[in-house]
């Protein structure tokens, strides 16, 4: 089965689950809760690379697990965890858009404005987004347990799923705290990347699939050796796109990470390489940063050699991951797909 087929099946599983949840919301209060169902479906069903379900599924197949619709439904639950993280992340960062559409908090602020309700539209939008993010996290748990996977397999997978959700939440806090303290070391940036994204995007999904299949500890260790460096490389690519990405492709305004003041590896590398700190003190984290300011920061990053250093690190980490995969006792089909996923994760433009 190719990645396109898996994406289709994951979307179908999500669509079926969300349809059942929409029905339940309608039973509670149709008019008030229809926008909730609409917003979750728009975010979850109309975009996304489906990388996390793909890594989980092929981690499962690599361990010899047979193709089953129940397993596809189980790994699709990862998309609801991702939806929760994105909704909350956009609130914390004050992002206006997500995947080329209004972010959830902006969507509900607009709903408030157009309905002429009382109070502050922005405050309503923020409150609604926090609750919808929480709802997606609750639903991720429900979708996993309602997937149809055998209870003993779910029992093996449960600790991985729980640890993953703890790690990504802690990673989000570390990201916020790092911005507040202004820590610009590459060591700190790597720590944030590891827990906010690396483990959650690749390593834990792989281990979730391995647990569903009842894989050996030896294979689980090999998946860790592949997943953790590849996950960090994935986040570094995300950092590069956050500064240099094309808005028409990424769906987010150019330089958004710069306006949000994110202390990424890219920024830390620039400062460690001798870039003028005064430029970052003046411009980084300015929510009103204009195109000229974005261009100035980009120029400083490139001139310092930080972009090249980051690209080199992406290449090194990807090579480390592929070397671990080469030594893993996985099925040949899974090895081929996981090699392709490594390229997709680190060479993407969105």
């Amino acid at each position: 089965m190719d990645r396109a087929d898996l994406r289709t099946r994951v979307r179908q599983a999500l669509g079926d689950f969300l349809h059942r949840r929409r029905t339940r919301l309608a039973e509670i209060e149709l008019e008030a809760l229809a926008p909730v169902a609409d917003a979750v479906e728009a975010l979850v069903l109309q975009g996304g690379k489906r990388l996390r379900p793909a890594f989980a599924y092929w981690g499962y197949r690599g361990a010899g697990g047979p193709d089953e619709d129940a397993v596809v439904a189980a790994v699709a639950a990862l998309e609801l965890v991702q939806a929760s993280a994105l909704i909350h992340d956009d609130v914390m960062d004050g992002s206006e858009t997500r995947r080329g559409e209004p972010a959830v908090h902006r969507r509900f602020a607009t709903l408030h404005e157009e309905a002429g309700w009382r109070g502050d539209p922005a405050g309503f939008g923020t409150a609604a987004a926090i609750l919808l993010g929480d709802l997606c996290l609750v639903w991720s748990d429900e979708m996993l347990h309602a997937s149809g996977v055998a209870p003993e397999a779910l029992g093996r997978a449960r600790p991985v799923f729980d640890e993953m959700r703890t790690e990504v939440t802690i990673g989000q806090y570390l990201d916020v705290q790092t911005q507040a303290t202004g820590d610009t070391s590459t060591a700190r940036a790597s720590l944030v990347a590891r827990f906010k994204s690396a483990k959650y995007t690749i390593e834990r999904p792989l281990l979730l699939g391995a647990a569903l299949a009842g894989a050996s500890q030896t294979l689980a260790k090999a998946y860790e050796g592949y997943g953790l460096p590849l996950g960090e490389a994935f986040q570094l690519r995300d950092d590069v796109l956050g500064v240099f990405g094309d808005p028409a492709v990424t769906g987010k305004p150019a330089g958004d990470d710069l306006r949000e003041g994110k202390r990424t590896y890219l920024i830390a590398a620039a400062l460690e390489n001798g870039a003028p700190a005064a430029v970052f003190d003046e411009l980084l984290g300015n929510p009103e940063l204009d195109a000229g300011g974005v261009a100035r920061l980009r120029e400083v990053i490139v001139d310092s050699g930080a972009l090249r250093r980051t690209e080199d690190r992406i290449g090194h980490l990807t090579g480390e991951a592929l070397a671990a995969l080469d030594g893993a006792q996985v099925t040949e089909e899974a090895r081929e797909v996981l090699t392709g996923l490594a390229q997709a994760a680190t060479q993407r433009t969105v």
Side-chain angles (χ1 to χ4, degrees):
M1 179 176 59
D2 63 24
R3 288 176 55 210
D5 289 339
L6 180 60
R7 283 197 298 268
T8 299
R9 292 173 67 189
V10 166
R11 189 185 188 283
Q12 182 63 54
L14 288 163
D16 291 346
F17 176 82
L18 291 175
H19 176 74
R20 295 193 297 272
R21 294 299 83 210
R22 175 185 283 275
T23 300
R24 176 58 182 143
L25 294 181
E27 291 171 355
I28 298 171
E29 223 292 358
L30 175 61
E31 184 177 356
L33 296 179
V36 171
D38 290 343
V40 174
E41 288 178 1
L43 179 63
V44 173
L45 299 181
Q46 296 178 16
K49 297 175 282 296
R50 314 298 189 207
L51 280 175
R52 292 163 187 84
F55 280 112
Y57 176 83
W58 287 107
Y60 167 83
R61 293 297 303 279
D67 178 50
E68 295 178 352
D69 288 341
V71 171
V72 173
V75 301
L78 293 167
E79 287 295 291
L80 291 171
V81 182
Q82 171 69 348
S84 173
L86 293 178
I87 292 169
H88 287 162
D89 200 44
D90 286 342
V91 170
M92 290 184 288
D93 292 342
S95 298
E96 293 294 309
T97 61
R98 171 63 64 179
R99 296 173 179 166
E101 299 295 330
V104 168
H105 63 282
R106 287 302 311 147
R107 181 183 180 120
F108 279 85
T110 300
L111 174 65
H112 184 289
E113 290 170 351
E114 293 178 347
W117 292 338
R118 298 177 180 178
D120 175 32
F124 175 81
T126 296
I130 291 170
L131 293 168
L132 262 68
D134 290 347
L135 184 63
C136 286
L137 198 60
V138 171
W139 281 355
S140 73
D141 203 66
E142 182 179 346
M143 188 172 186
L144 176 65
H145 281 276
S147 63
V149 168
E152 59 270 24
L154 283 177
R156 293 191 300 266
R158 176 87 244 179
V160 180
F161 193 69
D162 289 345
E163 187 66 12
M164 177 196 70
R165 293 187 299 171
T166 294
E167 287 171 346
V168 69
T169 304
I170 292 302
Q172 290 277 31
Y173 174 78
L174 288 172
D175 188 27
V176 171
Q177 195 255 1
T178 298
Q179 291 181 60
T181 62
D183 190 332
T184 53
S185 67
T186 53
R188 181 67 171 192
S190 293
L191 177 69
V192 172
R194 190 174 308 122
F195 282 90
K196 182 182 178 182
S197 183
K199 295 174 76 66
Y200 155 67
T201 300
I202 300 176
E203 183 194 32
R204 290 298 178 187
L206 280 167
L207 294 176
L208 180 72
L212 288 170
S216 68
Q217 282 298 110
T218 300
L219 181 55
K221 292 297 291 183
Y223 279 163
E224 289 173 2
Y226 165 82
L228 190 56
L230 186 61
E232 187 175 347
F234 171 88
Q235 182 57 48
L236 291 178
R237 175 58 62 209
D238 208 50
D239 294 343
V240 171
L241 291 173
V243 175
F244 295 95
D246 180 354
V249 179
T250 64
K252 298 196 75 174
D256 242 19
D257 281 4
L258 300 174
R259 294 184 186 88
E260 293 160 13
K262 292 194 173 181
R263 264 63 179 177
T264 63
Y265 184 91
L266 189 66
I267 301 301
L271 289 167
E272 284 189 1
N273 285 5
V279 175
F280 290 96
D281 290 340
E282 177 188 355
L283 300 177
L284 187 65
N286 176 4
E288 305 301 323
L289 190 68
D290 60 15
V294 171
R296 174 65 177 137
L297 283 171
R298 285 174 170 172
E299 179 184 28
V300 169
I301 290 167
V302 172
D303 288 349
S304 71
L307 179 59
R308 181 71 266 158
R309 179 176 168 182
T310 303
E311 291 288 355
D312 288 345
R313 182 156 176 77
I314 290 172
H316 171 77
L317 289 166
T318 304
E320 183 181 334
L322 292 174
L325 181 63
D326 285 343
Q329 296 299 309
V330 299
T331 64
E332 286 309 308
E333 181 184 20
R335 189 188 309 279
E336 181 179 345
V337 174
L338 289 171
T339 299
L341 284 170
Q343 302 305 319
T346 58
Q347 297 181 9
R348 69 193 198 282
T349 58
V350 61

